[in-house]
Amino acid sequence: GHYGRGLVFSKDSIMSAASQLKSVEKVDWSLFSGDWYQISHFDDVSPFGFLQKRLVCTKREFSLRRNGTIDVKVCSRLGNSDGIPLCTTFKAKVPAATEPGKLKLQTLGGLVSAVLDVFVLDPDYQFAVAGDPNRKQLVVMSRKPYIDQKTYSLLLETAR
């Protein structure tokens, strides 16, 4: 997999696995902070699904603030790598100390809120699989704009 157009999970291949996913038990958000490139995604519920299919080169930037909240900036390009840039910024926080692998996100204007669960996180904070708690949206992320097929397959297998 690689950053750019990305790979899209098929609904049948991921839904049975997704129902068994649980948030990771530990996340050091200071280590998680920084850029994450979207390698692939699956989206079964977004009202903007038609648009999501046209977005490429998606990158998420997580920034831990001194007060413990996290800024999350998501930027994509429409159509191709030279397309119109589209960005959304969220304020996020861990909603409960008992769920450190979960973030509650809200857009700056407060119009959109969501929850993001980190389901798979490698010990070096180089690769992750995250999504919503209902397992209707999943994304494979990497610190680099590409990952090798072996690592990608391992991440998918771990998420099953």
Side-chain angles (χ1 to χ4, degrees), residues 82-152:
D82 295 323
I84 298 168
L86 302 172
C87 294
T88 303
T89 303
F90 296 91
K91 291 286 185 196
K93 65 179 181 175
V94 176
T98 57
E99 298 178 296
K102 188 179 294 268
L103 280 182
K104 182 168 176 124
L105 301 126
Q106 189 165 19
T107 57
L108 294 178
L111 298 174
V112 177
S113 64
V115 175
L116 177 76
D117 280 319
V118 178
F119 299 119
V120 178
L121 179 61
D122 88 299
D124 296 325
Y125 289 73
Q126 296 302 301
F127 309 102
V129 178
D132 76 305
N134 296 322
R135 286 42 171 196
K136 300 287 186 182
Q137 298 174 324
L138 293 172
V139 62
V140 174
M141 301 183 296
S142 170
R143 293 294 191 170
K144 296 181 180 176
Y146 56 87
I147 60 175
D148 61 74
Q149 188 60 44
K150 181 179 177 183
T151 303
Y152 182 74

Side-chain angles (χ1 to χ4, degrees), residues 27-158:
V27 176
D28 180 334
W29 290 102
S30 65
L31 294 175
F32 198 92
S33 289
D35 292 342
W36 288 90
Y37 295 91
Q38 178 174 296
I39 303 300
S40 63
H41 74 278
F42 169 78
D43 185 347
D44 194 37
V45 296
S46 173
F48 303 105
F50 69 94
L51 180 61
Q52 180 70 26
K53 292 175 184 174
R54 302 233 338 121
L55 298 178
V56 299
C57 301
T58 299
K59 183 170 78 170
R60 290 165 173 76
E61 180 184 345
F62 292 80
S63 302
L64 180 63
R65 299 174 61 89
R66 288 184 186 181
N67 66 3
T69 62
I70 300 166
D71 291 336
V72 183
K73 184 176 181 181
V74 181
C75 292
S76 301
R77 296 224 172 235
L78 184 60
N80 60 52
S81 60
D82 295 323
I84 298 168
L86 302 172
C87 294
T88 303
T89 303
F90 296 91
K91 291 286 185 196
K93 65 179 181 175
V94 176
T98 57
E99 298 178 296
K102 188 179 294 268
L103 280 182
K104 182 168 176 124
L105 301 126
Q106 189 165 19
T107 57
L108 294 178
L111 298 174
V112 177
S113 64
V115 175
L116 177 76
D117 280 319
V118 178
F119 299 119
V120 178
L121 179 61
D122 88 299
D124 296 325
Y125 289 73
Q126 296 302 301
F127 309 102
V129 178
D132 76 305
N134 296 322
R135 286 42 171 196
K136 300 287 186 182
Q137 298 174 324
L138 293 172
V139 62
V140 174
M141 301 183 296
S142 170
R143 293 294 191 170
K144 296 181 180 176
Y146 56 87
I147 60 175
D148 61 74
Q149 188 60 44
K150 181 179 177 183
T151 303
Y152 182 74
S153 297
L154 181 63
L155 286 170
L156 292 183
E157 187 61 35
T158 303

Side-chain angles (χ1 to χ4, degrees), residues 3-15:
Y3 173 73
R5 174 134 333 259
L7 304 171
V8 180
F9 295 120
S10 74
K11 181 177 181 178
D12 295 334
S13 70
I14 200 69
M15 289 313 291

